[in-house]
Amino acid sequence: MRNLIEKVFTPVFDNPLLKELHDGTVVELPSGRIAVTTDSYVVRPLFFPGGDIGTLAVNGTVNDLAMCGAKPLYLTAGFILEEGLEIETLQRIVQSMKRAAEAAGVAIITGDTKVVERGKGDGIYINTAGVGIAGEGVNISPRRAQAGDAVILSGDIGRHGIAVMSAREGLNFETQIISDCAPLAQPVLALIDAGLDIHCLRDLTRGGLAAALVEISESAKAGCEIRESEIPVMDEVAAACEIMGFDPLYIANEGRFIAFLPEMQASHAVEILKNFPITQNAALIGRMVEDEDSTVRMITAYGSSRIIDMLSGEQLPRIC
Amino acid sequence: MRNLIEKVFTPVFDNPLLKELHDGTVVELPSGRIAVTTDSYVVRPLFFPGGDIGTLAVNGTVNDLAMCGAKPLYLTAGFILEEGLEIETLQRIVQSMKRAAEAAGVAIITGDTKVVERGKGDGIYINTAGVGIAGEGVNISPRRAQAGDAVILSGDIGRHGIAVMSAREGLNFETQIISDCAPLAQPVLALIDAGLDIHCLRDLTRGGLAAALVEISESAKAGCEIRESEIPVMDEVAAACEIMGFDPLYIANEGRFIAFLPEMQASHAVEILKNFPITQNAALIGRMVEDEDSTVRMITAYGSSRIIDMLSGEQLPRIC
């Protein structure tokens, strides 16, 4: 175990804090409010177009911090390895984590590794927890979403889920669909720095856009109306969904979010988002309305109205 | 999944922060230095005399923070559940976590749950990450241990490993051996509050007392001499070790630590520790000496000298 840490992890996460080989790490923080989050990653397969479990483990947790309106600073990494995992595979994943952490501007400051017997895992599971700094006066919560809010979507949906699914099933589409997995803190912090009154943010992971809208509408005790025509979906993703019988609204993304803010600030927000490559296709897709039943309604491309509900099971398990 | 969160987790971790059902949690922290740590728990079996995977997941991470000299405040919890795990089992574990968190004075503020298929896990794996506050001027690090330091052991060793092993193998000893799993922050903070110059702390988990001494001696570039006669081992544990062919020095504990501090402060430290039930058998077991080769030497009960080395494999896998 100690060999593994010294040979695989320490050289990659070349970090004076990690080199202490201690049980934890002490870091300086500016005073104030910190955001804390955690996620375990069990994606299958480990590698997919546009990323791997390591990229996900960094970006997923960075994005959860961003969704609290916080600047991500530090990550922890806990590995559960199945006996028989190839060292080369582990090294590749750890390298991905290093690159993703650099890109997101966070440091992986402490970690842990456990090994379980063959047949008691699935190669590798990774947990990351994140610590970030929440700015003064930032108050982002599903309960703050309210009737009159605009709903802004940061980009096209469905790519991550389809990328993982096609890697899992060995499907080949004419154009390879690449996961949208990416860090979102920069564009989110730009919205906050611009002084916009963001009520709520949510990244569109498990359950996709649909689950995010339903959950937030319930917490907010308000309804939501979105327009299908405003929701960007790549042609290739739409085609793949049609073939596989999926609905892009329910597919997990790893680099997409929705923002709720007063309608009069919506165009300013979209303008800001368009400055960042990862959010260049941001669009106003709908608004929150008075509705005690918290219904989420979509005006379809044909002009009819469809109620968006939570799926009872997971459309795509082990997608993150 | 959402059902699971609302039915199993939220009622137990009755916490206004968790109720937000958001991606992360924002908390107020006093300014200054924070300690961050993480551990995954894969213990087998899930339940053992004196605790279960939930107790471990809380105390293990609380103790890692304490070993940084920090006051533990917040934990995150990430669950990886294997399909088929009984809800009652999960509820029992979650209740244990709640009790352990209350006893340790920490709040579980955010969490995550993933489900993997049958045969891709082992019932449940838990990751916890912890955040604590490190006091001004506290500087605890393996590198600070030095020749002239006293080595203090907080209590008898070997119970946790033997408790887990006997549960795993279905062994029955005349007296049931109960794990020492417990939170250690209170006695550790009492040492710090007394103004003692603690150079290094280490809890005696994987690899036991032996691994802790070897690792710290290497980091400190100093040798270590301990006296076997001063190391408390319960008779039942000694007997079980003899039967199973284990050496108590290498067995994992979950409520024991060693402290390194200047020799003249040693008796004061032991006196303080004796005030707490969990550290009432604390003892001065040896000292650090000049030695470039970082040898750890034990004077045996027969007066001979034995070199303590790291085991190359794990004596007891999946003990935490």
Side-chain angles (χ1 to χ4, degrees):
Chain A
M1 183 57 51
R2 205 177 170 216
N3 255 329
L4 197 70
I5 293 171
E6 284 174 0
K7 294 209 173 116
V8 178
F9 295 111
T10 316
V12 176
F13 302 128
D14 185 19
N15 180 323
L17 300 169
L18 265 184
K19 282 208 184 112
E20 289 265 319
L21 282 177
H22 198 41
D23 290 324
T25 301
V26 175
V27 288
E28 294 281 344
L29 269 194
S31 70
R33 298 153 70 223
I34 64 164
V36 181
T37 183
T38 190
D39 252 320
S40 299
Y41 299 86
V42 300
V43 68
R44 190 169 54 86
L46 300 175
F47 300 89
F48 50 83
D52 58 41
I53 190 170
T55 338
L56 266 187
V58 170
N59 287 334
T61 295
V62 160
N63 291 348
D64 281 346
L65 290 172
M67 296 305 120
C68 299
K71 181 178 160 58
L73 292 177
Y74 301 116
L75 297 190
T76 67
F79 297 87
I80 297 176
L81 310 179
E82 186 189 13
E83 229 180 323
L85 176 74
E86 287 183 10
I87 287 288
E88 291 67 33
T89 305
L90 180 60
Q91 282 172 325
R92 218 177 125 193
I93 290 167
V94 165
Q95 286 287 356
S96 293
M97 292 181 76
K98 178 191 163 83
R99 277 195 303 271
E102 282 169 0
V106 294
I108 297 173
I109 56 170
T110 188
D112 172 62
T113 309
K114 293 290 186 314
V115 177
V116 295
E117 307 91 298
R118 219 179 272 261
K120 300 293 183 187
D122 200 10
I124 177 170
Y125 297 139
I126 304 177
N127 174 286
T128 49
V131 176
I133 286 290
E136 278 308 312
V138 174
N139 180 10
I140 287 165
S141 154
R143 295 174 200 208
R144 283 197 71 216
Q146 54 197 263
D149 276 3
V151 182
I152 289 170
L153 170 63
S154 73
D156 69 298
I157 59 171
R159 278 203 256 157
H160 175 69
I162 297 297
V164 171
M165 201 37 140
S166 52
R168 190 184 300 170
E169 306 296 336
L171 302 176
N172 285 307
F173 300 109
E174 216 162 298
T175 316
Q176 194 183 40
I177 295 165
I178 308 284
S179 167
D180 50 64
C181 185
L184 295 170
Q186 253 198 321
V188 166
L189 294 175
L191 294 178
I192 291 171
D193 290 346
L196 297 176
D197 181 21
I198 314 285
H199 292 158
C200 184
L201 296 164
R202 180 64 59 94
D203 54 347
L204 309 180
T205 54
R206 274 192 290 189
L209 175 60
L213 291 172
V214 170
E215 282 179 17
I216 289 170
S217 297
E218 283 179 8
S219 295
K221 301 195 193 346
C224 179
E225 284 181 4
I226 56 169
R227 288 180 301 279
E228 189 174 23
S229 57
E230 302 302 323
I231 299 171
V233 180
M234 270 177 62
D235 290 345
E236 291 83 353
V237 169
C241 279
E242 203 143 318
I243 293 166
M244 298 197 273
F246 293 136
D247 182 338
L249 284 188
Y250 291 90
I251 293 192
N253 312 273
E254 287 291 337
R256 298 292 179 260
F257 67 97
I258 45 177
F260 296 77
L261 77 177
E263 223 154 6
M264 6 176 341
Q265 301 183 354
S267 58
H268 188 188
V270 171
E271 213 172 277
I272 292 171
L273 292 177
K274 285 190 180 294
N275 292 327
F276 297 89
I278 182 70
T279 51
Q280 62 186 338
N281 296 317
L284 172 65
I285 63 162
R287 59 199 190 99
M288 299 293 283
V289 296
E290 303 275 357
D291 178 6
E292 280 180 10
D293 298 331
S294 302
T295 315
V296 177
R297 211 176 283 278
M298 182 166 80
I299 312 299
T300 69
Y302 309 103
S304 62
S305 167
R306 173 186 152 199
I307 288 178
I308 305 296
D309 219 332
M310 204 81 109
L311 287 188
S312 62
E314 270 190 84
Q315 191 177 227
L316 292 174
R318 299 191 55 188
I319 210 74
C320 60
Chain B
M1 181 57 51
R2 209 184 168 210
N3 256 329
L4 198 70
I5 292 170
E6 284 175 358
K7 293 209 174 115
V8 178
F9 295 110
T10 317
V12 176
F13 302 129
D14 184 18
N15 180 321
L17 300 168
L18 266 182
K19 284 211 184 109
E20 288 265 321
L21 283 177
H22 198 42
D23 289 327
T25 301
V26 175
V27 289
E28 292 283 342
L29 268 194
S31 70
R33 297 153 71 225
I34 66 163
V36 182
T37 183
T38 190
D39 252 319
S40 300
Y41 298 86
V42 300
V43 67
R44 192 169 55 84
L46 299 176
F47 300 89
F48 50 81
D52 58 40
I53 190 171
T55 337
L56 267 186
V58 170
N59 287 333
T61 294
V62 160
N63 291 347
D64 281 347
L65 290 173
M67 296 306 120
C68 299
K71 180 177 162 54
L73 292 177
Y74 301 116
L75 297 190
T76 67
F79 297 87
I80 297 176
L81 310 179
E82 186 189 13
E83 229 180 323
L85 176 73
E86 288 183 9
I87 288 287
E88 290 70 32
T89 305
L90 179 60
Q91 282 171 326
R92 218 175 125 192
I93 291 167
V94 165
Q95 286 286 356
S96 293
M97 293 182 75
K98 176 191 165 80
R99 277 194 303 273
E102 282 168 1
V106 295
I108 297 172
I109 56 171
T110 187
D112 172 61
T113 308
K114 294 290 187 315
V115 178
V116 296
E117 306 91 296
R118 218 179 270 264
K120 299 292 183 188
D122 200 9
I124 177 171
Y125 297 138
I126 304 178
N127 175 285
T128 50
V131 177
I133 287 290
E136 278 307 312
V138 174
N139 180 9
I140 288 166
S141 154
R143 295 176 200 207
R144 282 198 71 217
Q146 54 197 265
D149 276 3
V151 182
I152 290 170
L153 170 62
S154 73
D156 68 297
I157 59 170
R159 277 203 256 156
H160 175 70
I162 297 297
V164 171
M165 202 35 140
S166 51
R168 191 183 300 169
E169 306 295 336
L171 303 175
N172 284 307
F173 300 110
E174 217 163 299
T175 316
Q176 195 183 41
I177 295 164
I178 309 283
S179 166
D180 50 63
C181 185
L184 294 170
Q186 253 199 321
V188 165
L189 294 175
L191 293 177
I192 291 170
D193 290 345
L196 297 177
D197 182 21
I198 315 284
H199 292 159
C200 182
L201 295 165
R202 180 64 59 92
D203 55 346
L204 310 180
T205 54
R206 273 192 289 190
L209 175 59
L213 291 172
V214 170
E215 283 179 17
I216 290 170
S217 297
E218 283 179 7
S219 295
K221 301 194 189 352
C224 179
E225 283 180 6
I226 56 169
R227 288 179 301 278
E228 189 174 23
S229 58
E230 303 301 324
I231 300 170
V233 180
M234 270 175 64
D235 289 346
E236 291 83 354
V237 170
C241 279
E242 205 144 320
I243 293 166
M244 297 198 275
F246 293 137
D247 183 338
L249 284 187
Y250 291 89
I251 293 191
N253 312 272
E254 286 292 335
R256 298 293 179 258
F257 67 95
I258 44 175
F260 297 76
L261 77 178
E263 223 155 6
M264 14 179 330
Q265 301 183 354
S267 58
H268 187 188
V270 171
E271 215 172 276
I272 291 171
L273 292 177
K274 284 189 181 297
N275 293 325
F276 297 89
I278 183 73
T279 51
Q280 61 186 342
N281 296 317
L284 172 65
I285 63 163
R287 60 200 190 97
M288 300 293 283
V289 296
E290 302 275 357
D291 177 6
E292 279 181 11
D293 298 332
S294 303
T295 313
V296 177
R297 211 176 284 277
M298 181 167 80
I299 313 300
T300 69
Y302 309 103
S304 62
S305 167
R306 174 186 151 197
I307 288 176
I308 305 295
D309 219 333
M310 204 80 109
L311 287 187
S312 62
E314 271 189 83
Q315 193 179 226
L316 292 175
R318 297 193 53 190
I319 210 72
C320 59

